[in-house]
Amino acid sequence: MEETRRRFVISSVLSVSLIYLCLSTCHVSAFDFGRRQLRFNTDGRFKILQVSDMHYGFGKETQCSDVSPAEFPYCSDLNTTSFLQRTIASEKPDLIVFSGDNVYGLCETSDVAKSMDMAFAPAIESGIPWVAILGNHDQESDMTRETMMKYIMKLPNSLSQVNPPDAWLYQIDGFGNYNLQIEGPFGSPLFFKSILNLYLLDGGSYTKLDGFGYKYDWVKTSQQNWYEHTSKWLEMEHKRWPFPQNSTAPGLVYLHIPMPEFALFNKSTEMTGVRQESTCSPPINSGFFTKLVERGEVIGVFSGHDHVNDFCAELHGINLCYAGGAGYHGYGQVGWARRVRVVEAQLEKTMYGRWGAVDTIKTWKRLDDKNHSLIDTQLLWTKNTTLEPNFGFSCSTIPQH
């Protein structure tokens, strides 16, 4: 009897240890089991709708900002809701990303859960998977950033996470750092492989460091370490059996506050879209863009925060894209329609007629105007993109040691 009990205890400990090891190293959480797996559709496409800066308040009781005098008496948060509903119906996205400042903040409400329910309602009612990250205003009510992400995570169809399962390894800063893996469609040999990787990050609100009064926060070293580890792990998985791939799967980053590199673009010839205000980025460049360039997989960073900027511009192979403001309660510009950004990835066909790896990624914007206009369609990336060769000098006649 004693021997049986001892074996049972050892077996139980081993089982728990194996589960713990898997959760901490395999990037799988117990919460992930039973969740909907994102994958390309049978047409070889995956479409993402980015909605930024809704600044949702109390629904029909909330007045609009920066609309014409004729619109003002009849305009409210419900205009934002209507815009999302018509866009979801038109675009039929596979995933909706709410990229921060989803609710108004500024101590406007003492029931932010109710505001979030209304803000996310079009996505929930559509049955389409959706995720959210936080902006600098979201927590300015009766919930902390952690509490908000825990609430968002539990809403219907939400694939949001408070933080990754291995967050403890990096003592990761913030709440709402996570990775989504988009796998191949049914019938594809890449059915069990992630062929498009999304990284969603908490860019914080305002820095708490002395000497930086009312300055925006930045992506911390702990978050960059988590991104680098996750990126390398996904690359290894992409290149291993079965159906090993020669290249790395492309990646997209969603982050509310734009990185300082967004400020480098001011000429219309450098961008697709417009700049109508300065880039409100952190006062410190934490080096996240450099990390992305070093890894070489991310082809686009998609931000919000600056409502009347909506451009895309390319820097060192990475597209830096604003979404433009979607919400009527947040500031805008009279005569300049609220808008959202769409990103669509298209797979290539293999020689056997099956869907293979990602071939192209393109983007466009939808406006909340009379015609629900689709503007600024552009190709962000293609698999056949070739970079300039590095002709760095090396001396082959002198041996190195």
Side-chain angles (χ1 to χ4, degrees):
M1 176 66 74
E2 188 63 31
E3 178 65 20
T4 301
R5 183 180 300 171
R6 187 176 69 85
R7 289 179 178 177
F8 175 77
V9 170
I10 292 173
S11 175
S12 299
V13 170
L14 286 173
S15 297
V16 171
S17 299
L18 286 171
I19 293 172
Y20 179 77
L21 180 65
C22 180
L23 295 181
S24 61
T25 63
C26 299
H27 293 257
V28 178
S29 70
F31 184 67
D32 287 329
F33 291 107
R35 280 188 160 227
R36 188 187 311 193
Q37 175 58 52
L38 296 173
R39 62 179 66 256
F40 281 76
N41 61 33
T42 53
D43 293 327
R45 289 194 294 267
F46 191 87
K47 185 185 290 186
I48 303 168
L49 171 64
Q50 180 192 2
V51 181
S52 194
D53 296 280
M54 289 189 294
H55 287 270
Y56 215 93
F58 308 108
K60 66 180 181 180
E61 301 171 12
T62 301
Q63 292 182 329
C64 296
S65 300
D66 297 320
V67 295
S68 69
E71 293 175 281
F72 185 78
Y74 313 101
C75 189
S76 71
D77 277 333
L78 297 186
N79 288 61
T80 304
T81 297
S82 176
F83 176 32
L84 264 61
Q85 288 172 333
R86 72 191 294 216
T87 303
I88 291 170
S90 297
E91 292 289 352
K92 298 178 176 58
D94 300 290
L95 176 70
I96 303 169
V97 175
F98 293 98
S99 58
D101 281 1
N102 308 302
V103 293
Y104 192 66
L106 294 176
C107 306
E108 187 178 82
T109 177
S110 59
D111 188 359
V112 73
K114 184 177 180 180
S115 294
M116 286 193 289
D117 289 345
M118 290 188 287
F120 299 133
I124 293 171
E125 293 166 0
S126 72
I128 295 169
W130 63 275
V131 292
I133 53 176
L134 303 180
N136 52 296
H137 286 301
D138 287 296
Q139 78 289 339
E140 296 169 345
S141 186
D142 62 334
M143 283 189 185
T144 65
R145 296 177 77 83
E146 181 178 10
T147 306
M148 292 188 82
M149 286 307 302
K150 287 180 177 178
Y151 184 85
I152 291 170
M153 184 182 74
K154 295 177 181 178
L155 291 174
N157 310 322
S158 172
L159 300 181
S160 308
Q161 298 177 36
V162 177
N163 266 331
D166 53 356
W168 63 275
L169 285 171
Y170 310 96
Q171 298 295 301
I172 196 165
D173 288 274
F175 301 97
N177 304 285
Y178 51 106
N179 161 246
L180 296 176
Q181 300 167 32
I182 320 301
E183 296 182 346
F186 292 103
S188 167
L190 303 179
F191 179 77
F192 289 112
K193 278 191 182 292
S194 178
I195 52 179
L196 179 66
N197 297 311
L198 275 55
Y199 302 94
L200 297 102
L201 291 161
D202 179 11
S205 54
Y206 303 95
T207 179
K208 297 178 177 61
L209 294 180
D210 293 337
F212 293 97
Y214 206 71
K215 298 293 185 181
Y216 294 115
D217 216 341
W218 50 83
V219 178
K220 304 297 196 303
T221 302
S222 63
Q223 296 167 288
Q224 296 182 44
N225 290 340
W226 165 77
Y227 157 73
E228 183 176 27
H229 175 79
T230 305
S231 171
K232 288 180 177 179
W233 180 84
L234 289 169
E235 179 181 7
M236 179 189 70
E237 287 291 302
H238 195 62
K239 293 180 177 179
R240 72 189 300 181
W241 186 90
F243 302 106
Q245 302 297 296
N246 295 325
S247 59
T248 304
L252 310 175
V253 169
Y254 286 90
L255 173 71
H256 179 72
I257 299 175
M259 299 181 293
E261 285 77 8
F262 275 73
L264 297 176
F265 302 97
N266 292 291
K267 299 178 181 178
S268 59
T269 54
E270 301 173 326
M271 61 184 75
T272 301
V274 297
R275 173 189 287 285
Q276 300 180 111
E277 62 178 310
S278 299
T279 293
C280 295
S281 58
I284 297 294
N285 192 325
S286 65
F288 184 45
F289 182 80
T290 301
K291 182 71 69 178
L292 298 179
V293 172
E294 289 173 348
R295 284 296 304 135
E297 58 146 352
V298 168
I299 65 94
V301 178
F302 301 88
S303 293
H305 191 54
D306 303 326
H307 301 190
V308 295
N309 291 340
D310 74 345
F311 68 80
C312 271
E314 186 268 334
L315 181 65
H316 301 311
I318 298 177
N319 296 278
L320 305 178
C321 298
Y322 278 111
Y328 280 85
H329 191 29
Y331 76 87
Q333 185 168 292
V334 177
W336 197 72
R338 265 60 175 189
R339 59 202 58 209
V340 292
R341 180 170 291 280
V342 179
V343 173
E344 184 181 74
Q346 175 67 56
L347 301 182
E348 65 178 357
K349 272 287 184 75
T350 68
M351 60 184 297
Y352 302 106
R354 296 183 177 182
W355 293 118
V358 176
D359 185 41
T360 60
I361 298 177
K362 60 182 179 179
T363 186
W364 59 86
K365 287 163 292 192
R366 278 282 188 179
L367 310 187
D368 193 27
D369 58 9
K370 181 179 179 180
N371 298 318
H372 200 207
S373 302
L374 188 158
I375 66 168
D376 292 342
T377 299
Q378 65 181 116
L379 180 67
L380 294 180
W381 178 86
T382 174
K383 186 180 179 182
N384 297 321
T385 299
T386 56
L387 299 177
E388 293 183 9
N390 186 342
F391 293 110
F393 179 78
S394 62
C395 182
S396 58
T397 59
I398 300 176
Q400 292 182 326
H401 56 84

